[in-house]
Amino acid sequence: SVNPDLASERQTASFCVEKLTALLDGGAEQTRIRRAVVEAIESDPVFSRENQYFQTQNERYETAVRKAVHLQKKMHEMGWTENGPEYKYIYRALSGDVAFLLHRVFMRSISVLGSDKQIAKWIPLATQHQLIGSYAQTELGHGTYLQGLETTAVFDTATQEFILNTPKISAMKWWPGDMGRSATHTVVFAQLYIHGKCHGIHPFIVQIRSLQDHSLCPGVTAGDIGPKMNFEHIDNGYLMLKNVRIPRDNMLSKFCEVRPDGTYVRQGSQKINYFTMTTVRISLIADEVLIPLMKACTIAIRYSAIRRQSKLKPGEQEAKILDYQTQQEKLLPQLAAVYAFHFINDYLQELFNRGYREIQRKNFDMLPELHALSSGFKAVITHHCTAAVEICLRACGGHGYSLLSGLPSLYTKIIASCIYEGENTILLLQTARFLIKCFMAASAGHPVPPSVTYLAAVKPGNCPAKNKLDFLRPDIYTEAYQHVAVRLISSTAAKLQDLIQSGVKKYNAWNQCTVQLVQAAKAHCHYITVKNFAETVEKLETKAGIQRIMKHLCDLFALHGIFSNTGAFLHDGYISASQMDMVTASYLDLLAVIRKDAVPLVDAFDFTDKSLNSALGSYDGQVYQRLYEWAQKSPTNEMSPAYERYLKPLLHNTLSKL
Amino acid sequence: EALVLNDPDFQHEDLNFLSRSQRYEQAIRKSSLMVMKLREYGIADPEEIFWFKSFVHRGRPEPLDLHLGMFLPTLLTQATPEQQDRFFMPAWNLEIIGTYAQTEMGHGTHLRGLETTATYDPATQEFILNSPTVTSIKWWPGGLGKTSNHAIVLAQLYTQGQCKGLHAFIVPIRQLGTHEPLPGITVGDIGPKFGYDEMDNGYLKMDNFRIPRENMLMKYAQVKPDGTYVKPVSDKLTYGTMVFIRSIIVGDSARSLSRACTIAIRYSAVRHQSELKPGEPEPQILDYQTQQYKLFPLLATAYAFHFVGAYIKDTYHRISGDISEGDLSELPELHALTAGLKAFTSWTANAGIEECRMACGGHGYSRCSGIPDIYVTFTPSCTYEGENTVMMLQTARFLVKSYSQVSSGQQVTGMVSYLNDLSRQRIQPQHVAARAVTVRINDPASLVEAYKARAARLVEAAAKNLQAELNHRKSKEDAWNRTSVDLVRASEAHCHYVVVKLFTAKLSEISNAAVRAVLTDLCLLYALFGISKNTGDFLQAGILTSAQITQVNQHVKELLAVIRPNAVALVDSFDFHDVHLGSVLGRYDGNVYENMFEWAKKSPLNKTEVHESFHKHLKPMQAKL
């Protein structure tokens, strides 16, 4: 039975939950397919995550390998293919708790970087799992900055082989997933040397383990890098190479080739490759970032509806913590952010699909803009959502810290997204570089890409809002965001120029402005997100109450951004001190409005209880019973040897005999 | 320190590679030894015990924490002399190991909501203890799951048919000798958490469990044999313990953040990345402005909190003297102030530790960095001993009360005395605007004034909004709830002011000129960075102009460059031993990469060269496909 405190929340929904679910899925048919995939996976005991919180690193790894192997069988059984409509839901249904994810990256890198001959040779082997691949780029001493990698591949004309080496400890490959224990092959990125000359970083296929008994190949040292904050199921690995020889054909050679005599040839355009890297940053947003935040919101909001604490009114029952303004102010903006980022993700996906079509027609004009958007949004969304998950965790009081709440695992997993696929600060600086360039171009009257045309049309003036209701007008707040973005970009550009004109070297000037540049890039992304949210709401169908509640969330997202960053809007007086009080008032009013729909809004995410794997967040709200039942299953409740060995002597005061 | 570090009995395998049960076992082993050695060395001073303990357990929680930190002190303060005779020596000798069971599954910070009952039965002169609902199960107490054989249980006392509110009872829970739970007692471990692996946080369910009347702690309130209830004299005294524990958390905030800063700053000096100048080798990442901007304000914060922690502790000791002489006048302000500072410093340190971890890039995410462990050990302090938002609202209550005293013409004293100026300002509307130009951004004392003005403005705004809500004829509680976001902001501004003020005040006490100079830079950075992160407050109140804000932002960046040469020395001064730091990235000798490799080789997944999963799963799959 459903906890009455949660049941009552569902009776007052102002909109149709099922309709909103369909909107999030991209249509009712998609919802149907997704549910079918989730049902098929969750009903299979091999995929169960029931004891996950009690397992050691070794057990988690073994389970993940078992699941990965079983998944092949399952897909065959169900008739799911990699190109089918079901495929994208499998990962979500597994909650990412499966091995061999890097195997796919291995395959993709061969498809993108390999010659036709190489693709024909390796892809079938990989598809049939005759080998297990990984992707070894990052080194112990080198991350985001690729040119700094130290692994070497020296071409030996005599034997037509590359000799791979890890010249020093900081050059050891470190972090690649599936490499610590599972992989038999990996794509190694190394500095290519021919006849003593360095040609920069290139990818090589290297076999690291025997296909017979899985032992390490000669010259190869590899293993697991040890426990991390999460990803216990993945064997992130290290790899050291000592005079490992591979045939000339193992250098992935779509773009660069080494001829038998050692001649180095470049061919084709690298731009498609560049586009692929850019796409990866966008593709992780939905599964790795938005879903964890959606789950965290679901858990925290449902729990806040059943948890009662203190009295709001004397003589009444203790109040639901969701009724406290401070609790609403923690959780509801995170809920609004989920929707804001969901819609911006749709926008980016569409833009990238268009970009892909253009690139196929050999038109590369969109690349700089796509690159800037993917870098900036990857950084802004991962950062925002990570902070949001932590807020959800801490909004659940003590029980949030129990692994059984599900929140610690969501948090420790999502935080990794701030680092992988490009460290966030570096990515924001890449976006900033693009913005400064476009700003200069726009100021000189040159055309600029669509997402930054606003930089050319700077309107002077102040915010026209007269009362607090004006701040519920999308045109009013969108323009405020635009104003701040323009101000930060233009003032940073001016500062850069001043420094350069006063004789400071260009790179030095850049380093001196990086803090501001990061702020400018964030402001740009924030503006685009608000603008896109407002435009999306406008286009939604008005029936079933969907548009109305989305409008509230859009307003909340926008006003929360102003409320938490008042200085940026007050700085040049665009918003006045008294207008800022109106923003605050409108913002706080909205909390009470959205409060009524909070539970239906998370129900619409449509997570099964198994998928949430949380004692606090289940649909029926029977939190306390579940917490008690689950705790009793903890292995720590078996009699501990600590009693006989240490406690007993301690209690019996025979310590001195120890 | 050396005593512990050189003792072979306290050595063990790297905890990162142990399972939870193993970590618990190690902790118990060390605690047992620790108790013995404390007695052997004759260490009895609480401060010395604290240091000894923190070295044995390297700043981690341990299963006897609640016995030493709550059970014994509660016996001392709340037990009658007869009860002390019965329980104290056995507890001191660890025949009795106790814990303190307050929090229930459904009830935390709001104590009056606890549901456990203790019903007095005059016929047998016993209390009957019950956990009437699932939500009333005691949940979270440390050491309860596996270690303790007694607990001080907080329960609603019923006698002669009436509820007399919460009282404390000594409840035996496990059989002495066999350690089996007693009949009527269900007890166990609550399962894995975010950190605290070595602690057996537990649950306790009682089913008509009877204890003798003499097991109620009766120094203050009493139940007579016939069931007559005798009320306690004053309840203000419990404030003292809370103030003490919160002051420890403030110190903890400083220590945990200092450890994270030490690791991140040393590693940033070792790590090289990208290109700053074309053609030159990769620079230390500590040379990047963005990296300095992440870490140096946190370094300044660690120092600031260190001084705040010391201040609260000193004030507490001073006031404790007054209290024992019956003077309670300063207690309410200190209580209100520590509530807010506990929340302010733990929130800031919590976020700061994460920022340090992220500043270490991918390697920060590995457990070998030590920062994940610092984080999970520290982060619950945002919740325990009073949930932070609730704490902020307690401080706000005091601020609003002080404000209304000022409004009605009374003077207030202490840290809130700035509110006295507000009434004067209202007579001179130009006053605030005139103040703007007088802030000198190079002068810490002048910045203290700026923070003071900000706090005053936000307290006033919150108080006025509260009044406006009340005028809408809403209930008092409703009005309070509808203003609570404003109230929290006001408390934060107040605490921020107190921190800047205490840091600034500390500078003049430093006699060494070089030390004073570098700490003055840190103090300025702390104050200016705080402004640049909250520019809206200063702009909206007209305390600073936009032009000044631009100067503040610029000055922050200049200070980063000034502090850069001293950064490593400033974390070395925290003087954390490598063993205590528990970090490969933060090693004193900076030999990071070699030692990461050595560390990883010990990972449990590396125990065999070919993992058993290969034979179990991979090989059969390859054979089939």
Side-chain angles (χ1 to χ4, degrees):
Chain A
S1 70
V2 175
N3 185 321
D5 278 341
L6 209 43
S8 64
E9 298 285 337
R10 295 187 170 116
Q11 280 157 11
T12 53
S14 78
F15 64 93
C16 170
V17 172
E18 187 66 19
K19 281 255 161 61
L20 184 54
T21 302
L23 173 74
L24 288 169
D25 281 325
E29 175 60 12
Q30 291 296 316
T31 304
R32 193 192 60 76
I33 297 172
R34 177 176 56 74
R35 283 179 181 160
V37 172
V38 169
E39 167 61 24
I41 299 249
E42 288 184 350
S43 61
D44 188 328
V46 176
F47 295 119
S48 165
R49 288 160 63 225
E50 200 183 320
N51 290 315
Q52 181 173 303
Y53 300 127
F54 304 134
Q55 288 177 329
T56 64
Q57 196 191 356
N58 263 322
E59 289 163 345
R60 288 288 303 275
Y61 166 68
E62 190 184 327
T63 310
V65 170
R66 180 161 170 245
K67 285 183 185 179
V69 170
H70 188 69
L71 181 62
Q72 300 305 315
K73 204 175 126 203
K74 191 85 188 173
M75 285 180 64
H76 185 71
E77 227 174 77
M78 301 297 297
W80 298 336
T81 65
E82 303 216 346
N83 304 315
E86 296 89 359
Y87 192 72
K88 64 174 168 179
Y89 297 122
I90 296 175
Y91 185 78
R92 169 173 169 160
L94 292 167
S95 291
D97 197 43
V98 62
F100 305 161
L101 296 174
L102 265 287
H103 185 67
R104 296 192 45 72
V105 179
F106 173 80
M107 288 172 70
R108 193 180 60 212
S109 60
I110 292 173
S111 312
V112 175
L113 302 170
S115 65
D116 292 344
K117 208 176 120 197
Q118 288 169 326
I119 294 172
K121 176 181 174 187
W122 294 101
I123 295 298
L125 287 171
T127 310
Q128 292 166 30
H129 287 87
Q130 292 300 311
L131 55 85
I132 294 162
S134 176
Y135 180 86
Q137 180 178 302
T138 305
E139 294 174 359
L140 190 45
H142 309 275
T144 309
Y145 181 67
L146 283 188
Q147 287 105 297
L149 297 179
E150 294 178 288
T151 305
T152 58
V154 178
F155 185 60
D156 178 358
T157 353
T159 60
Q160 294 287 305
E161 288 171 322
F162 294 104
I163 310 161
L164 279 98
N165 269 297
T166 305
K168 53 201 243 205
I169 200 138
S170 56
M172 204 181 332
K173 295 293 175 188
W174 199 271
W175 280 111
D178 297 336
M179 198 173 75
R181 304 271 77 190
S182 306
T184 60
H185 288 68
T186 182
V187 172
V188 171
F189 283 77
Q191 304 282 0
L192 167 64
Y193 284 87
I194 309 170
H195 304 315
K197 186 177 173 230
C198 180
H199 290 271
I201 293 294
H202 290 75
F204 302 86
I205 299 179
V206 181
Q207 180 171 354
I208 57 172
R209 286 191 177 89
S210 152
L211 290 173
Q212 269 69 49
D213 62 5
H214 215 62
S215 62
L216 291 170
C217 293
V220 173
T221 308
D224 175 84
I225 63 162
K228 301 139 292 189
M229 289 188 87
N230 197 318
F231 294 91
E232 292 101 330
H233 61 294
I234 302 283
D235 52 324
N236 295 83
Y238 59 77
L239 173 69
M240 225 181 342
L241 302 168
K242 195 171 175 204
N243 290 322
V244 172
R245 288 176 168 262
I246 56 167
R248 189 177 62 91
D249 290 344
N250 277 24
M251 179 174 119
L252 291 174
S253 56
K254 182 165 190 174
F255 301 108
C256 310
E257 197 186 348
V258 177
R259 298 262 165 85
D261 64 351
T263 316
Y264 177 78
V265 190
R266 277 183 182 280
Q267 57 206 8
S269 165
Q270 282 264 34
K271 282 184 174 165
I272 293 189
N273 176 24
Y274 187 62
F275 176 74
T276 315
M277 276 176 30
T278 307
T279 319
V280 175
R281 294 197 178 123
I282 293 303
S283 65
L284 67 88
I285 291 174
D287 279 340
E288 303 295 346
V289 187
L290 290 183
I291 291 208
L293 179 55
M294 286 171 164
K295 286 185 177 175
C297 284
T298 307
I299 296 166
I301 287 177
R302 284 184 183 160
Y303 176 64
S304 298
I306 70 99
R307 176 77 175 187
R308 290 177 175 272
Q309 173 90 32
S310 308
K311 289 179 185 176
L312 261 178
K313 286 179 198 156
E316 283 190 5
Q317 204 185 354
E318 290 187 49
K320 292 178 177 181
I321 57 173
L322 194 53
D323 285 326
Y324 289 94
Q325 190 188 48
T326 45
Q327 186 76 353
Q328 294 164 9
E329 211 266 321
K330 286 174 193 169
L331 295 178
L332 301 183
Q334 316 319 326
L335 185 58
V338 167
Y339 284 93
F341 294 138
H342 174 83
F343 292 128
I344 199 74
N345 186 43
D346 283 352
Y347 161 85
L348 292 169
Q349 295 294 348
E350 205 187 298
L351 205 64
F352 272 74
N353 289 339
R354 188 141 47 87
Y356 185 67
R357 289 194 298 272
E358 290 296 320
I359 283 166
Q360 300 227 297
R361 301 207 318 248
K362 304 275 176 231
N363 173 6
F364 298 108
D365 291 351
M366 279 177 79
L367 263 183
E369 185 186 23
L370 291 178
H371 179 249
L373 285 171
S374 71
S375 308
F377 276 107
K378 185 269 173 182
V380 166
I381 297 176
T382 54
H383 178 80
H384 196 115
C385 294
T386 296
V389 171
E390 205 209 2
I391 290 171
C392 292
L393 189 157
R394 277 193 282 127
C396 291
H399 295 326
Y401 297 104
S402 168
L403 288 198
L404 308 180
S405 76
L407 291 164
S409 322
L410 288 170
Y411 177 63
T412 50
K413 201 163 178 196
I414 194 175
I415 49 178
S417 69
C418 293
I419 308 283
Y420 60 60
E421 296 301 335
E423 196 276 330
N424 279 352
T425 304
I426 296 176
L427 292 182
L428 285 167
L429 288 172
Q430 289 176 5
T431 306
R433 206 176 277 278
F434 167 82
L435 292 172
I436 296 291
K437 225 187 218 170
C438 290
F439 178 77
M440 302 299 224
S443 311
H446 299 304
V448 291
S451 63
V452 285
T453 45
Y454 74 95
L455 292 174
V458 187
K459 282 168 261 171
N462 292 331
C463 176
K466 299 220 164 29
N467 55 52
K468 69 174 181 178
L469 291 179
D470 281 346
F471 278 104
L472 301 178
R473 281 171 45 192
D475 56 322
I476 297 268
Y477 54 67
T478 307
E479 213 152 285
Y481 273 95
Q482 189 192 79
H483 179 85
V484 169
V486 172
R487 180 176 66 75
L488 288 172
I489 294 165
S490 62
S491 67
T492 314
K495 176 87 186 296
L496 264 175
Q497 280 211 309
D498 282 356
L499 283 170
I500 292 167
Q501 272 165 13
S502 71
V504 179
K505 291 250 163 50
K506 223 172 164 178
Y507 57 81
N508 239 334
W510 181 262
N511 191 30
Q512 283 180 35
C513 290
T514 43
V515 168
Q516 272 168 281
L517 286 161
V518 165
Q519 281 162 356
K522 282 184 187 165
H524 169 73
C525 294
H526 211 153
Y527 159 59
I528 306 270
T529 310
V530 169
K531 179 165 166 267
N532 178 67
F533 200 167
E535 286 169 1
T536 307
V537 168
E538 200 125 304
K539 284 180 261 168
L540 291 175
E541 54 174 333
T542 50
K543 48 179 197 272
I546 304 280
Q547 193 189 40
R548 192 176 48 228
I549 186 68
M550 287 298 119
K551 166 75 169 59
H552 289 323
L553 287 171
C554 179
D555 294 346
L556 185 73
F557 180 77
L559 296 187
H560 174 74
I562 302 178
F563 174 78
S564 11
N565 197 13
T566 52
F569 295 84
L570 288 163
H571 188 84
D572 59 353
Y574 181 81
I575 288 184
S576 71
S578 58
Q579 282 174 326
M580 196 51 86
D581 287 336
M582 299 172 199
V583 169
T584 308
S586 261
Y587 167 64
L588 295 177
D589 288 347
L590 272 169
L591 293 176
V593 173
I594 296 168
R595 153 73 187 88
K596 300 190 189 98
D597 280 320
V599 169
L601 279 167
V602 297
D603 284 351
F605 298 148
D606 199 26
F607 290 111
T608 60
D609 284 353
K610 281 184 179 159
S611 151
L612 289 173
N613 208 11
S614 162
L616 302 190
S618 54
Y619 187 84
D620 66 11
Q622 299 297 356
V623 169
Y624 299 117
Q625 285 84 341
R626 204 167 266 113
L627 204 50
Y628 187 38
E629 275 164 34
W630 288 15
Q632 285 166 308
K633 288 192 238 164
S634 171
T636 41
N637 282 323
E638 292 150 22
M639 196 62 184
S640 165
Y643 174 69
E644 282 297 326
R645 278 188 216 158
Y646 307 110
L647 270 181
K648 202 170 166 183
L650 178 72
L651 290 161
H652 296 201
N653 235 339
T654 47
L655 275 171
S656 45
K657 290 177 209 147
L658 267 176
Chain B
E1 186 170 332
L3 219 54
V4 177
L5 292 176
N6 299 330
D7 190 329
D9 288 344
F10 287 125
Q11 308 307 316
H12 54 79
E13 208 184 325
D14 190 316
L15 295 175
N16 285 304
F17 303 128
L18 301 181
S19 73
R20 222 195 121 213
S21 280
Q22 290 167 323
R23 283 177 79 149
Y24 167 69
E25 195 181 324
Q26 282 299 335
I28 279 283
R29 183 179 72 83
K30 288 202 289 181
S31 297
S32 311
L33 274 169
M34 175 184 78
V35 171
M36 211 181 78
K37 303 235 169 180
L38 282 172
R39 304 283 154 83
E40 188 184 311
Y41 299 132
I43 299 175
D45 176 63
E47 200 99 333
E48 278 179 44
I49 291 179
F50 179 82
W51 286 115
F52 194 88
K53 198 164 99 70
S54 92
F55 273 96
V56 170
H57 291 282
R58 295 168 196 178
R60 289 195 183 83
E62 54 107 354
L64 294 185
D65 273 351
L66 274 277
H67 177 73
L68 301 171
M70 287 299 288
F71 190 79
L72 290 175
T74 308
L75 284 181
L76 281 178
T77 54
Q78 296 189 36
T80 62
E82 304 81 65
Q83 289 174 324
Q84 294 201 9
D85 286 346
R86 263 175 68 210
F87 293 106
F88 192 81
M89 279 325 284
W92 179 251
N93 290 328
L94 291 152
E95 287 157 42
I96 288 178
I97 296 179
T99 179
Y100 189 82
Q102 175 177 303
T103 304
E104 295 174 359
M105 203 190 307
H107 310 276
T109 307
H110 181 64
L111 286 186
R112 276 165 295 169
L114 296 179
E115 295 176 274
T116 303
T117 58
T119 310
Y120 185 63
D121 177 0
T124 60
Q125 303 219 3
E126 288 172 321
F127 291 103
I128 310 163
L129 283 132
N130 268 301
S131 310
T133 58
V134 179
T135 45
S136 73
I137 297 174
K138 294 291 177 188
W139 201 267
W140 282 110
L144 173 63
K146 314 278 1 165
T147 313
S148 302
N149 54 25
H150 280 69
I152 289 178
V153 169
L154 267 81
Q156 304 284 359
L157 166 65
Y158 283 85
T159 181
Q160 299 176 334
Q162 277 184 314
C163 179
K164 298 290 179 188
L166 279 186
H167 290 78
F169 302 84
I170 301 175
V171 181
I173 54 174
R174 285 191 163 93
Q175 186 71 51
L176 297 181
T178 66
H179 213 57
E180 295 289 339
L182 294 165
I185 296 285
T186 311
V187 62
D189 175 86
I190 63 163
K193 298 140 300 194
F194 202 22
Y196 274 64
D197 278 353
E198 33 283 288
M199 180 68 100
D200 54 325
N201 297 82
Y203 58 76
L204 171 67
K205 191 167 169 289
M206 291 166 296
D207 190 13
N208 286 321
F209 188 76
R210 287 174 172 264
I211 55 169
R213 185 184 67 91
E214 294 80 11
N215 277 26
M216 174 174 143
L217 288 173
M218 292 209 260
K219 184 162 176 188
Y220 299 110
Q222 288 175 20
V223 173
K224 299 278 180 202
D226 66 350
T228 311
Y229 178 73
V230 185
K231 265 209 289 199
V233 191
S234 161
D235 56 355
K236 260 193 185 163
L237 286 164
T238 52
Y239 277 16
T241 323
M242 285 195 271
V243 167
F244 177 67
I245 291 173
R246 286 170 195 165
S247 77
I248 288 181
I249 295 177
V250 174
D252 240 12
S253 303
R255 259 187 310 279
S256 302
L257 185 57
S258 307
R259 288 171 70 189
C261 282
T262 305
I263 295 166
I265 286 178
R266 284 184 184 158
Y267 176 64
S268 298
V270 171
R271 177 83 173 181
H272 291 255
Q273 171 93 25
S274 306
E275 212 172 44
L276 206 50
K277 285 183 208 172
E280 289 203 0
E282 297 184 49
Q284 294 166 298
I285 57 175
L286 199 52
D287 286 333
Y288 287 97
Q289 190 189 55
T290 45
Q291 187 76 353
Q292 295 168 2
Y293 191 71
K294 286 175 193 168
L295 296 177
F296 295 169
L298 294 172
L299 178 63
T301 306
Y303 273 94
F305 289 178
H306 178 80
F307 298 133
V308 174
Y311 168 85
I312 299 183
K313 211 164 77 183
D314 292 347
T315 315
Y316 170 72
H317 286 309
R318 182 172 56 76
I319 294 186
S320 297
D322 298 343
I323 293 171
S324 53
E325 284 158 30
D327 175 10
L328 300 176
S329 60
E330 276 188 86
L331 205 49
E333 176 178 2
L334 188 67
H335 178 246
L337 183 65
T338 50
L341 285 174
K342 179 260 176 188
F344 184 79
T345 58
S346 62
W347 265 336
T348 311
N350 184 65
I353 294 165
E354 278 295 76
E355 188 79 15
C356 287
R357 184 183 56 71
M358 303 262 248
C360 295
H363 296 330
Y365 193 74
S366 165
R367 298 264 286 272
C368 78
S369 77
I371 306 184
D373 211 43
I374 297 174
Y375 176 72
V376 295
T377 305
F378 179 74
T379 190
S381 61
C382 293
T383 305
Y384 62 57
E385 296 305 332
E387 198 278 327
N388 276 357
T389 304
V390 178
M391 292 298 98
M392 280 297 187
L393 288 170
Q394 277 186 13
T395 302
R397 211 172 275 281
F398 180 76
L399 293 173
V400 169
K401 200 170 136 201
S402 303
Y403 176 81
S404 48
Q405 282 173 347
V406 170
S407 305
S408 64
Q410 286 171 279
Q411 289 277 311
V412 291
T413 55
M415 288 286 187
V416 288
S417 55
Y418 60 84
L419 293 173
N420 292 331
D421 302 341
L422 278 169
S423 47
R424 252 178 290 137
Q425 282 170 31
R426 231 174 282 118
I427 308 165
Q428 298 167 283
Q430 294 309 308
H431 189 92
V432 170
R435 182 205 299 262
V437 282
T438 65
V439 176
R440 295 175 309 279
I441 63 165
N442 275 316
D443 175 8
S446 179
L447 295 174
V448 173
E449 293 303 308
Y451 274 93
K452 188 193 269 187
R454 168 189 179 228
R457 188 252 162 195
L458 287 174
V459 171
E460 177 166 53
K464 282 183 173 168
N465 288 348
L466 180 62
Q467 194 52 51
E469 290 287 347
L470 282 169
N471 294 344
H472 281 85
R473 283 177 288 114
K474 285 192 185 108
S475 80
K476 241 163 73 182
E477 290 76 12
D478 246 356
W480 180 263
N481 187 28
R482 286 174 159 272
T483 323
S484 52
V485 170
D486 292 329
L487 290 163
V488 169
R489 278 179 83 189
S491 284
E492 280 175 336
H494 176 72
C495 293
H496 209 157
Y497 153 69
V498 171
V499 175
V500 173
K501 182 184 155 82
L502 292 176
F503 198 166
T504 304
K506 188 75 198 172
L507 297 175
S508 60
E509 295 172 23
I510 303 165
S511 50
N512 182 306
V515 172
R516 191 170 59 235
V518 71
L519 284 180
T520 304
D521 289 335
L522 281 179
C523 179
L524 272 173
L525 180 64
Y526 179 77
L528 293 172
F529 182 79
I531 294 176
S532 79
K533 284 280 141 186
N534 295 284
T535 54
D537 291 347
F538 293 90
L539 284 167
Q540 201 179 357
I543 301 160
L544 294 167
T545 63
S546 300
Q548 284 177 310
I549 294 289
T550 308
Q551 286 170 27
V552 166
N553 291 336
Q554 184 54 33
H555 201 45
V556 165
K557 286 181 270 179
E558 287 162 13
L559 281 167
L560 298 177
V562 171
I563 290 164
R564 167 68 185 88
N566 284 322
V568 171
L570 281 166
V571 297
D572 285 351
S573 310
F574 292 137
D575 197 25
F576 290 113
H577 195 283
D578 274 353
V579 171
H580 195 218
L581 215 47
S583 166
V584 180
L585 300 191
R587 294 169 63 91
Y588 185 81
D589 66 10
N591 293 324
V592 170
Y593 297 130
E594 302 84 317
N595 286 291
M596 273 181 82
F597 187 36
E598 289 309 311
W599 182 86
K601 284 191 216 160
K602 295 181 219 146
S603 167
L605 273 184
N606 290 332
K607 284 247 161 78
T608 55
E609 191 179 282
V610 178
H611 195 267
E612 57 180 338
S613 295
F614 172 71
H615 303 290
K616 266 189 177 159
H617 304 293
L618 287 179
K619 211 172 170 183
M621 170 179 75
Q622 286 168 340
K624 259 187 258 165
L625 282 166

